[in-house]
Each structure stands twice: as structure tokens, then as C-alpha cells.
Amino acid sequence: MVGHVNMMDDVLISHLPASILRSSLRAIISQGLTTQAVFVEHVRGRLRESPPPLIPPQELFGGDYPRHYEFLTSTRCLFSSKLAIESLPYSLTHFVKAIPEAHARWAADDPLDTSFQAACGDIVQAVQALKESHPSLTIEHLGSLMELQSALDGCETYCSSTLLPYPFRRAQRQVDDLLFLRFPDLSTRSSGISPKDVYHLNLTIDSAQVDKLEYTNLGTVKIPRLVNGLWQLSSPAWGSASSERQNEALSHLVRAGLVAADMADHYGDAELIYGAFRNALPEDISQRVVAATKWCVFRPLDKPVTAQLVLEAVTERHRRAGGRLELLQFHWYDYRDKEYLRVLLELVKLTESHPYLVSEIGLCNFDSKHTEEACAFLLERTGKVGIVSNQIQFSLIDGRPIINMARVCRKYGLKLLTYGSFCGGFLAQKWLGRAAPDIYSEITRLTPSQRKYFDMISLWGSWEDFQYLLRTLDEIAAKHSVEISNVATRWVLDRHEVGAVIVGTRLGVSSNIESNIKVFSFTLDEEDMAKLEKHELAKRAEAVYSKIGDCGHEYQRP
């Protein structure tokens, strides 16, 4: 009885401003999977009953009040409520086909260009949802996908004939990849790098800058101790940029010597972006670029674990990344299913039998107990550990790795690749002296990662405790002429078990390269460490550990 609510609640709902309604919904669905499922299912039902109208091309892009933004908003509701396949022919294809039909014109960074970049990100997101829905994508859906592919091709032809920049390169690459992935015998495009991605970048690395960086070895692979994290490509929530701007951003990073990138099979089109980029580099530079990606298993495998299954999984990521994977990191959904040990054994074997596919194997969000279990198993079966790293969350706010993981790393020679070391941007000057944010407010506009890390801060201590920590970090930063985020990163890097810190990169949207590399300009002395220890970091780490468990437990299947 979804129409029946308490009368006073009904009055409240009817009169609340939209911003408070949105924040209320966020608060409700954050309570657990049950409330989230009710919310999404209700939205899906309403959208199926009353789908948003197809706006004519001239109304989308012409007149005094073009409606392209309104149309994209309704489209996002479709694929965000898990109606991804419905969003393709109904909305996204219509939007792309309408551009040449309306004879649209635009210039760089004008509102229409911004909408096109957002639409490109939306297509990437919708297609990624289809990639991850293995059982539901059938031959019946091929027509919708090929119609979208045809619309993108037609828009590219229109842009070429009118000398307009083509805004959908990322979307085109993502659609081509899905068609080849799911329908290889029927796909009209070959695997690997598309001919449309054959371009060349003239790029050199600043040797003077490279000499200032620190490095670590992951087995045979040498990487800088700052790694470019591409997690933000998993959602348009961080903003969208054109393929050209993303290449510019990646070029800037590589010139500065930051040649390693961390991505995953579910980070939107991250592997495809990086693969096209590195294949456009001069050969001497492309040989120095490091691709670290992941195979993340979030549900039971639909096939028995065999050497062939593992080879196919690695080959798929190798194809998208456009070449050898210097590091493949493995995540497993449920430690009760011990098949992950067999997967790891086959992965390690591949580094010897197929070194042109993958160089080294790591873990992702494994806890201490099962990291040790995996190392012992591999050591017994192969005579060597075979894995070189574990990617986990580690910061001044989340010190769980110091409790057990550090010991396991020392015992088996593993290095930690850490994320969240900036705490989603909270460990920064901009939050010093500010009141605690309302994480559900439309005004605050926190990113999804900031909402996550605000929860971590709340587990660690009060907002007043956090402000006290920021003041200490600010004192240390002023002493060394660096920034608060540099001090927070330096503290993590100074742990013996840490190989590198992964820094989230919003490709083509924003850049903090000059700020981030300041971390290599100083060291924390005894006085600095004494100031930080006043915050009882070890005690707080144990408290966080007792509340949410060991490293990565938040990503295990309930």
C-alpha cells in the first residue's frame, strides 16, 4: 500500500522543498539494502508506467530554451534505476541521432558542449551497467546496441563534415567493446584498439622531475610511490571530460614522471581510455608506462575455475588495456568460497606461462587472515609467494592495516598500495576550521567518496577530534612549506609496508599534480611524529577495527 502513509507525513511530503526531500531519501536508503531495494523498485515501476517523453530534435537543441539538459536528466533516471537496456533505444540513441537531425552547432565549453560531455559519460555508465549484467544481456538486445553504435557513427560523420569536434569518442569505444565482449561472432568491429583510436602523442618525460620522485618495486615492476587512481571514471558524479582532455591530463601526469595508473574492470571505461592512450605514446615512453588493473569477483562464478577460465579473464583485461598488464589485482566476494585460492594459483602460473599478458599478481581489499592464507597456499603449491601487493584503505583516519596487515606484509614480502589516504579530500586545508558537513544536503554537494569518508571520520572520532588533527597537520605542513594533504600522505608512505599511495585523478576535470608531488620534498621528523601520536592513532585504529572489522571487510558479501 505505497499510496497510504500517515496523514501528517503526507502533508510534510507534499510541502517539503525538493532539496530536503532529496536529502531525506538519501538518509532513508542509506539504512540498508532493504530500504534501498524498495526505493529503486518503486522508481523502476513508475518509470515503466510513465516513461519520459522523447523530445523532438529541434526542441532538444534549438529555440530560446533548448531542452537537452531536461532530457538527459530523465535519461539518467532510467539507467540509474537499473533500466540500462531500456535507456539505450528510448533515450540515449534518440539524443545522439537528434544532433545531426537538428543541425546542432556548438563551441568548446559552451552549455551544449558541456551537455554532450555529460551525455557521453551517461552512455559509458549505461553500457558499463550492461557489461556487468552478464545473465540478462541476450541476443535480443543486440539490435538496441547496434542502433546506438550506428547513431554514434552517424554523429561522427556529421561532426567531420561540419568541422565540429566529435564529443562521443569514449561512448563509441565503450559500445564497440561491449558488442565485441558479448557478441564476438556478430560484432562488426574487431577486438583491441579501434582504428579510430590510432593517433600519436608527442611526449617526453621531465627527467629533472623524475629524479625527485620516490620509487618502489612490486616484483619485477618498478613504479613511482604515487599512483594515478582512475576510480572516478566509474561514475559521472565526478564530472565528465572529452577523450582529448583526458589524454591531455594523462600526458601531464606522465611528463611529471607519474607513469603508473590503477584501474579496474568495473571503473567505467578506464581500461579503454588508458589502453588507447598508452598505445599512442612513443615506444620508449609506452615501455615505461605501468598499467595496474583488477579482476573483481563480486558474485559466484558461473563456470568452474579452470586454467582456461582464468586465461580468458586476463586476456579480456589485456585487450581493453591495449597491452601487457604490469600488475593484475584480484578481489574476491566471499572468503567462505575457497575457489579464490585456485584462481590465484592459476593467475600466478600465468605470469610464467604468459608473461606478455601479465607481469605480477596482487590482491585487492583482502583482509589479513586471508592474505596470509593465500600466501601460505601459494608457497606450498609453487614454492614461492607469487603475489606482490594488496590494495587497501589506509590513512591517518583508517589505521587498520597497522594492527595485523603490516605483520603479514613483513612475513611474506608484500607491499601495500593504499587508497583513501586523503580521506576523500577531507585531509586538506579547505576543511580546517569548517563545521561538519551535512552529507545529505544539496548545498554541500559532497561527492560519493566524501560521503563514504565522512562515515570513516565519524567512526574514528568526533568532528572536533578531526579538527584538532587538521590543526596539527597544518602546523607540520607550515613547518615544511607543504600542504596538509602532503603531510597525511607522507605519514602513510613512511610505513615500511607501504609501497605506494593511489591518488584519485579526475581526468580532464581537475588536476593537483604540482601539489601532490610535494610529498617527496620533505620527511617527517621525530617532533612531527610526536605531535601526531598525541592523537592516539594506534588506539583509534583499534577502535575502527573493532567497529567494522579488518581491512576490506566492508567489501565482503554480507
Side-chain angles (χ1 to χ4, degrees):
M1 298 178 64
V2 296
H4 177 72
V5 296
N6 177 282
M7 290 178 62
M8 295 306 293
D9 289 342
D10 190 64
V11 172
L12 184 62
I13 292 168
S14 299
H15 292 84
L16 276 174
S19 60
I20 298 180
L21 275 174
R22 290 191 182 100
S23 67
S24 301
L25 273 173
R26 288 191 177 107
I28 290 169
I29 64 177
S30 70
Q31 300 308 305
L33 294 175
T34 302
T35 54
Q36 192 265 351
V38 171
F39 166 69
V40 172
E41 195 54 43
H42 178 72
V43 171
R44 284 161 60 96
R46 292 303 304 273
L47 289 174
R48 281 182 171 133
E49 291 169 7
S50 303
L54 289 176
I55 300 173
Q58 291 300 332
E59 292 184 34
L60 277 174
F61 305 117
D64 294 331
Y65 302 100
R67 301 174 65 187
H68 50 84
Y69 181 80
E70 170 194 341
F71 186 76
L72 287 178
T73 299
S74 64
T75 302
R76 289 188 190 111
C77 293
L78 284 171
F79 69 75
S80 297
S81 62
K82 301 180 176 63
L83 295 175
I85 195 66
E86 291 87 344
S87 72
L88 297 187
Y90 170 76
S91 296
L92 295 175
T93 299
H94 173 76
F95 184 90
V96 176
K97 288 174 69 175
I99 294 171
E101 290 176 14
H103 303 289
R105 295 289 191 276
W106 62 93
D109 297 324
D110 70 11
L112 190 52
D113 182 54
T114 301
S115 281
F116 288 159
Q117 297 308 327
C120 183
D122 289 345
I123 296 172
V124 168
Q125 183 81 350
V127 174
Q128 186 63 32
L130 295 176
K131 282 184 178 180
E132 295 173 17
S133 60
H134 293 250
S136 62
L137 198 61
T138 68
I139 193 67
E140 296 175 4
H141 302 125
L142 178 63
S144 295
L145 287 166
M146 296 196 72
E147 186 179 2
L148 176 57
Q149 185 185 59
S150 176
L152 291 166
D153 289 345
C155 184
E156 183 181 29
T157 300
Y158 169 73
C159 291
S160 177
S161 65
T162 53
L163 303 180
L164 289 166
Y166 178 55
F168 295 107
R169 181 70 64 212
R170 292 177 57 199
Q172 196 170 41
R173 189 189 290 142
Q174 179 83 321
V175 172
D176 291 352
D177 183 66
L178 175 60
L179 283 167
F180 179 80
L181 184 65
R182 293 288 176 267
F183 310 106
D185 296 333
L186 300 175
S187 173
T188 58
R189 306 279 169 85
S190 61
S191 64
I193 301 300
S194 164
K196 294 166 184 170
D197 276 327
V198 177
Y199 53 88
H200 300 284
L201 296 170
N202 293 320
L203 187 151
T204 58
I205 295 178
D206 184 346
S207 57
Q209 178 58 52
V210 166
D211 292 339
K212 298 177 183 178
L213 305 182
E214 296 174 8
Y215 296 86
T216 191
N217 291 315
L218 303 176
T220 60
V221 179
K222 179 181 178 181
I223 63 169
R225 298 192 73 201
L226 285 184
V227 174
N228 309 314
L230 304 185
W231 178 51
Q232 281 85 345
L233 291 170
S234 62
S235 169
W238 285 275
S240 296
S242 67
S243 182
E244 291 76 16
R245 288 192 174 180
Q246 289 177 336
N247 281 337
E248 289 174 9
L250 285 167
S251 297
H252 193 188
L253 290 163
V254 171
R255 283 192 192 96
L258 302 178
V259 296
D262 174 74
M263 55 207 121
D265 44 9
H266 60 289
Y267 289 5
D269 56 340
E271 291 174 328
L272 296 171
I273 290 169
Y274 203 70
F277 168 76
R278 98 169 151 175
N279 277 277
L281 295 172
E283 185 175 357
D284 61 322
I285 304 297
S286 66
Q287 294 298 317
R288 298 173 65 176
V289 167
V290 174
T293 192
K294 303 180 187 75
W295 178 15
C296 295
V297 179
F298 297 118
R299 62 183 68 86
L301 295 171
D302 53 7
K303 297 179 181 178
V305 175
T306 62
Q308 184 61 30
L309 172 74
V310 175
L311 175 61
E312 288 172 359
V314 175
T315 301
E316 179 184 319
R317 286 147 187 83
H318 172 274
R319 176 181 62 80
R320 286 202 294 264
R324 185 176 63 184
L325 310 173
E326 278 72 29
L327 177 66
L328 180 66
Q329 301 158 97
F330 178 67
H331 172 75
W332 188 252
Y333 73 107
D334 187 349
Y335 297 130
R336 293 171 297 182
D337 182 351
K338 296 301 179 183
E339 284 290 83
Y340 76 89
L341 294 172
R342 175 70 186 278
V343 172
L344 282 170
L345 178 61
E346 296 299 334
L347 284 173
V348 170
K349 288 180 179 178
L350 276 181
T351 62
E352 295 185 354
S353 62
H354 294 69
Y356 58 91
L357 289 180
V358 58
S359 301
E360 300 291 351
I361 303 300
L363 305 175
C364 179
N365 284 318
F366 265 62
D367 67 9
S368 308
K369 176 181 177 181
H370 296 92
T371 298
E372 186 159 22
E373 178 185 41
C375 290
F377 174 83
L378 291 169
L379 193 59
E380 178 184 354
R381 292 298 185 93
T382 68
K384 63 178 184 178
V385 173
I387 53 180
V388 297
S389 62
N390 186 16
Q391 182 177 144
I392 56 172
Q393 186 169 291
F394 195 6
S395 70
L396 286 160
I397 299 301
D398 184 4
R400 287 178 293 168
I402 67 178
I403 296 172
N404 286 319
M405 187 63 71
R407 173 191 60 80
V408 176
C409 288
R410 289 193 297 270
K411 181 176 179 180
Y412 292 100
L414 305 187
K415 288 294 184 181
L416 295 180
L417 303 179
T418 72
Y419 62 89
S421 300
F422 293 178
C423 211
F426 278 113
L427 289 169
Q429 187 77 31
K430 66 177 290 186
W431 290 100
L432 179 62
R434 288 182 58 177
D438 178 354
I439 63 173
Y440 300 119
S441 168
E442 290 295 301
I443 298 173
T444 308
R445 291 191 177 277
L446 297 182
T447 65
S449 62
Q450 285 176 321
R451 293 194 188 103
K452 167 188 172 180
Y453 289 111
F454 183 80
D455 286 345
M456 290 303 306
I457 293 170
S458 300
L459 289 169
W460 178 83
S462 68
W463 187 254
E464 289 73 21
D465 294 333
F466 182 67
Q467 286 295 310
Y468 176 31
L469 174 62
L470 285 181
R471 288 195 294 273
T472 300
L473 293 172
D474 190 44
E475 290 176 12
I476 298 171
K479 171 183 170 181
H480 296 285
S481 299
V482 294
E483 300 175 23
I484 285 177
S485 58
N486 300 137
V487 179
T489 307
R490 187 73 257 175
W491 182 85
V492 176
L493 285 173
D494 283 349
R495 298 290 309 187
H496 174 75
E497 63 274 11
V498 172
V501 167
I502 299 168
V503 180
T505 305
R506 298 168 70 181
L507 288 181
V509 177
S510 63
S511 175
N512 297 296
I513 298 174
E514 288 74 17
S515 169
N516 292 336
I517 60 178
K518 289 180 183 177
V519 73
F520 300 124
S521 68
F522 73 107
T523 57
L524 296 174
D525 57 31
E526 292 183 4
E527 179 187 33
D528 300 330
M529 294 301 293
K531 287 181 178 179
L532 289 171
E533 287 306 320
K534 288 181 181 179
H535 295 273
E536 299 182 306
L537 298 178
K539 183 178 178 180
R540 291 183 184 275
E542 291 175 358
V544 172
Y545 185 99
S546 68
K547 292 173 184 175
I548 60 175
D550 199 3
C551 308
H553 275 196
E554 58 269 38
Y555 299 104
Q556 280 291 295
R557 191 173 185 175

